[in-house]
Amino acid sequence: LLKKKIKIIEILESESNKKNKEEKLNRVDLLVKLENGELVIIEIQNEEEYDYLHRILYGVSKTISENLKAGQAYKKTKKVISISIVYFDLGHGKDYVYHGTTNFIGIHNKDKLELTTEQKKLFKKEEVKDVFPEYYILRVSKFDELTKDGLDEWIYFLKNDEIMENFKAKGLKEAKKKLDVLKMNREERANYDSYLKDLSLKASLADT
């Protein structure tokens, strides 16, 4: 989706703690930290929620504020990427993948505001939009089943819970194995855990 090689170095808390009873809980499905320091929020939403766009905005804003320590310079603000996988019609549109960024366009000259050379060095960013959060919305139900690239293969899997033999997207087969386990009922999971424990015991006995 991000069209660049990424490495996840940490999976952070999926549910932020409230500081007081009046504060709204920041609940996300997955929050990960990338090698370059960027934070990625991944959320899956099955039920229709009219104000879901506001929920995305709140989650990103809360994540930004919680990751800037008191007294730190604003340049230390973490870049946040929000990825929402939704199974309902979120807004009107023909596409099934939408990408949102922030740019500043001149009211009179229609030119785009650019970073200065000094700002590029200070922020280690090339464009203004790189400073601000990015939003991706995957409208799974709108996917037309035609796979043209690795991203489509992932969306096909998310929609149909199935991997075709010719799929080659990175990480897809590993994800299928994980999700197969997560879909087990309580009895199947207990039997599977017992099976893994038995394999470990046999391996230890063989070593002994």
Side-chain angles (χ1 to χ4, degrees):
L1 182 66
L2 304 183
K3 291 181 169 53
K4 60 183 178 182
K5 187 177 180 181
I6 65 169
K7 182 179 180 182
I8 295 173
I9 62 170
E10 189 178 0
I11 296 177
L12 306 172
E13 277 190 279
S14 61
E15 194 173 290
S16 299
N17 295 321
K18 294 194 291 184
K19 293 176 183 175
N20 56 65
K21 63 181 181 180
E22 287 80 25
E23 191 175 348
K24 188 169 179 63
L25 189 70
N26 183 25
R27 187 189 299 274
V28 299
D29 290 327
L30 191 63
L31 177 62
V32 299
K33 184 177 181 182
L34 303 184
E35 193 175 28
N36 61 4
E38 294 178 348
L39 300 173
V40 180
I41 297 172
I42 302 168
E43 283 199 278
I44 298 176
Q45 179 69 13
N46 291 294
E47 301 298 326
E48 187 168 23
E49 199 172 320
Y50 287 136
D51 60 354
Y52 187 74
L53 292 173
H54 294 81
R55 176 174 153 181
I56 295 171
L57 176 62
Y58 176 81
V60 168
S61 303
K62 194 90 161 62
T63 300
I64 290 172
S65 64
E66 288 176 348
N67 283 275
L68 183 66
K69 296 177 183 177
Q72 277 191 318
Y74 289 118
K75 69 176 182 179
K76 296 289 186 182
T77 301
K78 297 286 187 185
K79 164 88 172 190
V80 175
I81 299 170
S82 170
I83 300 172
S84 296
I85 302 166
V86 299
Y87 287 83
F88 65 95
D89 289 341
L90 179 61
H92 288 297
K94 296 179 181 179
D95 213 316
Y96 52 93
V97 179
Y98 285 88
H99 180 209
T101 59
T102 299
N103 279 304
F104 294 89
I105 307 299
I107 292 176
H108 302 100
N109 298 320
K110 308 302 179 187
D111 62 317
K112 188 168 72 171
L113 185 68
E114 303 285 355
L115 294 178
T116 65
T117 302
E118 291 77 15
Q119 286 175 318
K120 289 180 180 180
K121 290 178 181 177
L122 182 65
F123 307 151
K124 294 182 173 58
K125 308 284 185 186
E126 288 300 313
E127 296 186 59
V128 170
K129 70 179 180 63
D130 297 331
V131 175
F132 289 86
E134 289 184 52
Y135 300 88
Y136 289 89
I137 296 174
L138 280 61
R139 302 198 304 166
V140 177
S141 59
K142 289 292 185 182
F143 179 58
D144 59 8
E145 311 282 334
L146 299 174
T147 55
K148 301 175 283 294
D149 53 27
L151 175 58
D152 283 350
E153 291 178 5
W154 268 97
I155 297 175
Y156 182 96
F157 169 57
L158 290 168
K159 183 176 182 179
N160 301 295
D161 194 18
E162 181 184 1
I163 296 177
M164 306 299 284
E165 289 295 325
N166 61 327
F167 283 6
K168 298 177 181 177
K170 187 176 181 181
L172 195 52
K173 286 184 171 59
E174 290 81 359
K176 181 67 166 68
K177 291 176 185 175
K178 296 285 186 184
L179 289 174
D180 282 345
V181 174
L182 291 174
K183 286 192 304 179
M184 292 178 181
N185 60 39
R186 187 173 296 180
E187 183 181 355
E188 290 170 337
R189 185 62 184 266
N191 289 335
Y192 180 69
D193 289 341
S194 178
Y195 164 72
L196 292 179
K197 193 178 293 183
D198 188 48
L199 284 181
S200 296
L201 176 60
K202 286 179 179 177
S204 294
L205 290 174
D207 286 341
T208 302

